[in-house]
Amino acid sequence: MKKQAVVINVKDNVATVVDDFTSGTEIHYFLGEQEQSVILLQDIPLGHKVAIREINQGEEVIKYGESLGGATSDIKVGQHVHVHNLESLRGRGDK
């Protein structure tokens, strides 16, 4: 199967898609050596992130094994992860 999303670190809870995909599409990626798949719940544009694990509000979004910030709402597997449900926690001073 052609890889349709990239996961760099086994700690990641998001994958980055390598093309534009529409809601309902099953995409494939590798987590370590194991092929995985997820059915998209929303359209995901090229280069954007999709949740590959449930992410609870306030939980860190992990990409490349590093925190990108915190989820501002609960994110289901297959949902688009972007500025509408993710906020940076770096350099804020209030968190």
Side-chain angles (χ1 to χ4, degrees):
M1 179 59 63
K2 180 180 176 186
K3 181 170 33 173
Q4 298 160 307
V6 176
V7 177
I8 299 296
N9 191 297
V10 295
K11 296 178 191 175
D12 293 354
N13 53 16
V14 295
T16 304
V17 299
V18 298
D19 204 346
D20 293 320
F21 292 102
T22 57
S23 179
T25 302
E26 181 177 16
I27 63 164
H28 298 264
Y29 59 93
F30 284 90
L31 187 59
E33 298 292 320
Q34 188 174 16
E35 184 176 341
Q36 304 280 323
S37 67
V38 63
I39 296 174
L40 302 181
L41 300 179
Q42 298 168 301
D43 294 346
I44 313 285
L46 168 70
H48 284 233
K49 297 170 293 301
V50 59
I52 58 172
R53 297 188 189 120
E54 297 285 328
I55 305 170
N56 295 318
Q57 182 176 358
E59 187 178 346
E60 290 185 340
V61 174
I62 308 295
K63 179 178 173 182
Y64 306 140
E66 299 291 330
S67 174
L68 295 179
T72 59
S73 61
D74 291 341
I75 304 170
K76 297 178 189 214
V77 173
Q79 279 188 309
H80 186 201
V81 179
H82 200 55
V83 297
H84 65 281
N85 56 10
L86 168 67
E87 68 179 357
S88 176
L89 299 176
R90 295 181 183 166
R92 290 188 46 157
D94 65 333
K95 292 198 176 201

